[in-house]
């Protein structure tokens, strides 16, 4: 190879890429025109719809001063509500992951009469007004209700306890897991499982070592969505929760209660803490997801 | 381990994939299942592996009926066309998979597994790639990893489903020579499926030609090429010219209408007719493909076009021009009675 230029091509390209690096972070060559316009619109829209309301919340909370904020945010009743909200949402999302995977598995892998109906049923919690869901769940699981009476025989109270909150969150969260895992499972080639079988793996080994790692990113997404939905859920929960302070009161309800008592400091403080906690958790889940995706198909 | 396939049939909804297929594969042989897509060759391979079940018939390994034995316990190595490597595992973990899923009592120690995998990596010419992930490998490397993974559990039978189908022509050629060499070293009874006649003829000890769920012919590559048992086999193994004998003036011997088959490179081409059997044609087109030149010869009696192949050397020395009159005579004419069709 002759190099008459006396310049290392690598140097040339390094400078070239350094010059382009800043721009390159924002822009990739594309056949579609209008990056400037669409990117501008995206920023504007996100600001208007998401950022402005949230910053207004923060600005409002600053008005009250740090001390008032701290007292409002760390009141025992508030801390209890946080425990209930995050605890129930986490547990419900976790359970939804287990049963959502199972549901998605059955819907994708088996052909049975009524499969389409089952598939459509999964979406119902998306469509049903949450209050309707809450009221019917409360009626069913009340100690004298159709289902509640059997639990009552065992001494288990479902409605009007944190357990009831979980039931409501299981209901609203399940479609998120099923709908994120389903397409991935549909695209998962059977030959991976067949390969594992011929290599001598049993069903459990195939599930845990071949299938689950491939489904992990989608499962985490489903978990994050179900969890986020569970944190913010209001309509269905308040009817079944009983709403006892310190025991079964969720954060969104506490905020509404504070507002009704004209305690704007309290309401805002709780909302800001809630917002930060949710954002932090979603960020962590997103990072986990990105890590899982990289691990799943390293490039 | 010898394999016997006895009267295996398999039907999918609205379509018979295999129709009473019987075949014997002696221990240590490398057998090619050759046929067009949809002929049932992959289905047969999957039935041998236990990944599909036959509707009737039996598969025997060393005389033992395998019908009730699951794919997991058959001790076969299976290599998939699309590799089916586990994407979230490194090359090393992929190859070690079959060893690490063994029950604790049979599982080799971590050291032994490591040694075995390293040894396979060397054998597959993949040394130093153990920590890579499948997506970081080329197609040819991936297929070798898949092969190493299948061999790690020391299968008694190796089954390969279109192993080189997804690779480009050059890598494919390299890999099939290498597979032949590997088989000569390991001597594990192997069946591979292919639709590429060149691949089958080059690699296999025995070629099994299949069509429409049936076996057309079983034989050594030479047998199959030199004495094809049916028009299908003849046509599937290479380009072919057909001559209807009733168009031939010298058809007195057989009143029965039959078709003569001849390969493009097995034709006598003469500028001056040496006997009355030659078919008169006019050169209507020519195309050079590397070392050979393909001539299109249009029959003057309106019987269609004959394709002939010459070496480029001969083509140059004989100075062929479009419009030349040429008399064509098959060198080794093969006759199949039309009743066979």
């Amino acid at each position: 190879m002759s190099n008459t230029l006396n310049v290392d091509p690598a140097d040339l390209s390094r400078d070239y890429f350094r010059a382009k690096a800043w721009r390159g972070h924002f822009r990739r060559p594309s056949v579609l025109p209008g990056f400037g316009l669409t990117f501008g619109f995206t920023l504007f829209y996100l600001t208007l719809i998401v950022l402005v309301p949230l910053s207004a919340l923060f600005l409002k909370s600053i008005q009250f001063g740090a001390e008032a904020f701290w007292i409002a945010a760390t009141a025992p009743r508030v801390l209890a509500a946080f425990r209930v909200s995050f605890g129930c949402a986490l547990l419900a999302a976790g359970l939804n992951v287990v049963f959502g995977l199972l549901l998605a598995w059955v819907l994708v892998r088996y052909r049975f009469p009524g499969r389409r109906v089952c598939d459509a049923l999964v979406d119902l919690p998306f469509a049903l007004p949450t209050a309707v869901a809450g009221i019917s769940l409360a009626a069913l699981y009340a100690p004298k209700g159709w289902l509640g009476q059997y639990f009552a025989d065992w001494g288990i109270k479902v409605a009007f306890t944190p357990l009831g909150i979980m039931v409501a969150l299981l209901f609203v969260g399940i479609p998120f897991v099923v709908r994120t895992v389903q397409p991935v499972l549909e695209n998962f080639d059977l030959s991976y499982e067949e390969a594992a079988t011929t290599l001598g793996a049993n069903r459990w080994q195939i599930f845990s070592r071949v299938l689950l790692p491939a489904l992990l990113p989608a499962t985490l997404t489903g978990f994050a969505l179900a969890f986020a939905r569970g944190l913010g859920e209001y309509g269905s929960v308040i009817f079944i929760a009983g709403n006892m302070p310190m025991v079964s009161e969720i954060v969104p309800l506490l905020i509404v209660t504070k507002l009704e008592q004209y305690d704007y400091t309290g309401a805002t403080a709780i909302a800001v803490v809630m917002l930060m906690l949710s954002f932090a958790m979603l960020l962590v889940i997103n990072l986990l997801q990105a890590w899982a995706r990289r691990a799943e198909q390293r490039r | 381990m010898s394999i016997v396939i006895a009267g295996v049939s398999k039907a999918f909804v609205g379509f018979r994939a295999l129709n009473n297929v019987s075949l014997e594969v002696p221990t240590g042989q490398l057998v090619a299942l050759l046929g067009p897509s949809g002929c049932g060759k992959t289905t047969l391979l999957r039935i041998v592996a236990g990944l599909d079940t036959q509707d009737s018939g039996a598969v025997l390994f060393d005389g033992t009926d395998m019908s009730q034995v699951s794919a997991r316990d058959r001790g076969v190595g299976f290599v998939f066309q699309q590799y089916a490597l586990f994407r979230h595992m490194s090359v090393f973990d992929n190859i070690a998979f079959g060893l690490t899923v063994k029950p604790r009592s049979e599982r080799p120690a971590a050291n032994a597994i490591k040694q075995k995998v390293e040894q396979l990596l060397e054998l597959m010419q993949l040394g130093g790639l153990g920590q890579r992930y499948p997506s970081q490998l080329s197609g040819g490397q991936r297929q070798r990893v898949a092969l190493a993974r299948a061999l790690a559990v020391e299968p008694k039978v190796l089954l390969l489903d279109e192993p080189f189908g997804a690779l480009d022509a050059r890598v494919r050629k390299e890999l099939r020579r290498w597979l032949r060499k590997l088989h000569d070293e390991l001597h594990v009874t192997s069946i591979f499926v292919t639709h590429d006649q060149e691949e089958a003829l080059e690699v296999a000890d025995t070629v099994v030609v299949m069509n429409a769920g049936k076996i057309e012919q079983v034989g050594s590559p030479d047998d199959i090429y030199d004495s094809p048992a049916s028009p299908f086999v003849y046509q599937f193994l290479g380009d072919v010219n057909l001559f209807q004998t009733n168009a031939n003036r010298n058809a007195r011997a057989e009143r029965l209408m039959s078709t003569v088959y001849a390969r493009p490179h097995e034709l006598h081409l003469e500028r001056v007719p040496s006997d009355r059997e030659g078919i008169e044609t006019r050169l209507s087109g020519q195309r050079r493909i590397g070392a050979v030149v393909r001539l299109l010869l249009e029959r003057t009696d309106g019987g269609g076009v004959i394709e002939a192949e010459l070496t480029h050397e001969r083509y140059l020395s004989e100075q062929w021009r479009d419009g030349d009159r040429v008399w064509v005579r098959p060198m080794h004419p093969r006759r199949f009675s039309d009743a066979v069709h």
Side-chain angles (χ1 to χ4, degrees):
Chain A
M1 303 210 190
S2 63
N3 194 346
T4 48
L5 268 176
N6 250 349
V7 178
D8 183 1
D11 279 340
L12 273 180
S13 58
R14 203 177 304 136
D15 283 350
Y16 174 76
F17 283 117
R18 200 173 295 148
K20 280 208 115 177
W22 193 85
R23 255 168 77 90
H25 276 296
F26 279 87
R27 189 170 185 173
R28 297 251 160 92
S30 160
V31 290
L32 279 180
F35 170 76
L37 188 66
T38 48
F39 185 64
F41 179 78
T42 305
L43 273 187
F44 169 74
Y45 194 81
L46 269 180
T47 308
L48 189 73
I49 301 294
V50 180
L51 225 48
V52 168
L54 295 186
S55 349
L57 187 64
F58 271 94
L59 286 176
K60 187 85 185 163
S61 72
I62 290 170
Q63 286 178 5
F64 304 122
E67 201 180 336
F69 182 93
W70 183 252
I71 292 169
T74 55
R77 185 178 168 188
V78 176
L79 291 181
F82 274 123
R83 266 198 297 278
V84 171
S85 265
F86 278 88
C88 287
L90 270 175
L91 270 172
L95 278 175
N96 266 334
V97 160
V98 175
F99 294 106
L101 271 175
L102 191 75
L103 255 144
W105 175 267
V106 170
L107 288 175
V108 170
R109 282 301 169 83
Y110 301 105
R111 292 291 169 267
F112 51 92
R115 190 179 69 94
R116 300 235 169 260
V117 178
C118 288
D119 202 41
L121 275 177
V122 169
D123 281 333
L124 265 191
F126 274 147
L128 199 68
T130 50
V132 176
I135 292 167
S136 40
L137 286 175
L140 278 177
Y141 285 97
K144 296 243 180 288
W146 279 0
L147 294 169
Q149 53 182 324
Y150 300 111
F151 284 103
D153 289 346
W154 291 82
I156 301 169
K157 251 186 99 183
V158 179
F160 318 125
T161 66
L163 205 57
I165 302 178
M166 294 247 316
V167 170
L169 295 187
L170 282 177
F171 177 82
V172 297
I174 191 77
F176 291 96
V177 179
V178 177
R179 287 295 178 245
T180 45
V181 172
Q182 209 175 3
V184 181
L185 202 54
E186 262 162 12
N187 288 326
F188 191 76
D189 203 293
L190 263 178
S191 63
Y192 294 107
E193 285 157 70
E194 290 177 344
T197 309
T198 58
L199 290 168
N202 61 33
R203 292 307 299 172
W204 169 249
Q205 286 167 327
I206 294 174
F207 176 74
S208 61
R209 298 192 48 188
V210 176
L211 202 59
L212 208 56
L215 293 181
L216 191 63
T219 309
L220 274 172
T221 307
F223 177 82
L225 288 173
F227 173 65
R229 175 66 198 266
L231 274 184
E233 180 58 22
Y234 177 77
S236 61
V237 174
I238 54 166
F239 289 101
I240 198 174
N243 305 326
M244 269 183 310
M246 308 299 293
V247 179
S248 61
E249 190 177 45
I250 55 166
V251 176
L253 179 70
L254 189 58
I255 295 172
V256 174
T257 313
K258 296 269 183 203
L259 283 178
E260 279 169 350
Q261 296 162 348
Y262 303 104
D263 179 4
Y264 295 124
T265 319
T268 319
I270 301 168
V272 165
V273 174
M274 178 89 171
L275 192 67
M276 291 192 302
L277 282 176
S278 315
F279 186 73
M281 295 203 70
L282 288 177
L283 196 67
V284 168
I285 294 172
N286 260 311
L287 289 176
L288 263 177
Q289 219 176 293
W291 166 81
R293 192 153 284 151
R294 262 205 311 281
E296 203 253 328
Q297 49 188 150
R298 263 167 246 245
R299 293 215 168 262
Chain B
M1 168 140 328
S2 71
I3 304 170
V4 173
I5 296 162
V8 165
S9 294
K10 170 85 182 173
F12 294 111
V13 183
F15 148 75
R16 292 200 72 143
L18 292 173
N19 198 352
N20 196 16
V21 170
S22 296
L23 179 68
E24 263 181 63
V25 180
T27 308
Q29 272 220 342
L30 177 54
V31 172
L33 294 181
L34 174 67
S37 52
C39 73
K41 55 192 191 300
T42 295
T43 308
L44 185 59
L45 194 75
R46 290 175 58 86
I47 286 173
V48 172
L51 296 173
D52 271 332
T53 43
Q54 66 272 28
D55 298 337
S56 60
V59 175
L60 295 90
F61 287 180
D62 268 350
T64 316
D65 186 6
M66 286 283 131
S67 306
Q68 299 305 315
V69 180
S70 77
R72 198 187 147 213
D73 302 320
R74 283 199 192 187
V76 300
F78 201 98
V79 176
F80 293 83
Q81 181 179 6
Q82 298 296 337
Y83 326 123
L85 294 176
F86 307 128
R87 287 187 296 168
H88 59 279
M89 289 182 204
S90 66
V91 167
F92 185 97
D93 291 338
N94 261 289
I95 298 175
F97 184 86
L99 299 171
T100 56
V101 295
K102 279 182 193 256
R104 203 172 291 274
S105 56
E106 298 168 29
R107 196 185 306 160
N111 273 343
I113 291 179
K114 189 167 188 298
Q115 208 177 348
K116 175 96 194 168
V117 174
E118 299 288 348
Q119 199 185 328
L120 277 164
L121 282 169
E122 281 311 314
L123 183 67
M124 299 289 149
Q125 296 159 13
L126 291 165
L129 296 181
Q131 294 316 307
R132 297 260 191 107
Y133 283 82
S135 57
Q136 298 168 319
L137 301 180
S138 71
Q141 289 171 330
R142 284 182 213 182
Q143 195 55 287
R144 277 180 281 158
V145 174
L147 200 50
R149 183 178 68 175
L151 289 174
V153 289
E154 291 175 6
K156 292 165 285 182
V157 171
L158 186 61
L159 306 170
L160 307 106
D161 183 13
E162 303 252 1
F164 313 128
L167 303 169
D168 61 63
R170 208 177 55 80
V171 180
R172 215 171 152 136
K173 256 191 174 143
E174 230 171 78
L175 267 186
R176 69 194 191 210
R177 275 181 206 144
W178 176 81
L179 174 68
R180 180 68 240 183
K181 218 180 102 220
L182 188 77
H183 183 265
D184 291 341
E185 285 169 29
L186 300 177
H187 287 298
V188 54
T189 311
S190 309
I191 304 180
F192 79 100
V193 155
T194 180
H195 61 259
D196 181 345
Q197 74 279 6
E198 219 182 293
E199 197 168 290
L201 295 176
E202 183 177 340
V203 177
D205 298 316
T206 302
V207 177
V208 178
V209 184
M210 291 185 68
N211 182 34
K214 285 188 155 169
I215 292 180
E216 293 269 335
Q217 189 175 1
V218 181
S220 70
D222 285 347
D223 281 350
I224 298 272
Y225 194 84
D226 293 339
S227 38
S230 68
F232 173 84
V233 176
Y234 200 108
Q235 296 195 38
F236 195 75
L237 285 181
D239 292 329
V240 65
N241 289 299
L242 309 183
F243 307 94
Q244 296 290 337
T245 44
N246 71 336
N248 195 321
R249 276 161 283 161
N250 199 17
R252 272 173 296 124
E254 298 171 72
R255 303 285 353 144
L256 206 126
M257 187 156 114
S258 67
T259 308
V260 168
Y261 291 70
R263 304 230 178 264
H265 62 274
E266 294 176 342
L267 296 171
H268 286 295
L269 305 180
E270 296 161 328
R271 302 301 184 99
V272 184
S274 59
D275 60 18
R276 300 181 58 213
E277 279 188 43
I279 300 163
E280 190 185 348
T281 64
R282 201 171 288 280
L283 181 57
S284 64
Q286 36 189 297
R287 187 154 300 248
R288 181 183 169 190
I289 303 138
V292 299
V293 178
R294 201 164 284 166
L295 304 178
L296 293 179
L297 302 161
E298 204 165 321
R299 289 172 69 153
T300 45
D301 61 5
V305 175
I306 297 170
E307 224 182 75
E309 267 178 23
L310 299 178
T311 61
H312 188 236
E313 225 166 289
R314 179 174 165 203
Y315 171 82
L316 287 179
S317 68
E318 293 184 3
Q319 304 204 340
W320 296 82
R321 301 253 184 288
D322 279 357
D324 285 357
R325 287 175 78 194
V326 185
W327 280 263
V328 176
R329 236 167 0 102
M331 285 182 217
H332 316 289
R334 283 280 311 175
R335 254 167 246 277
F336 295 104
S337 162
D338 279 6
V340 174
H341 284 298

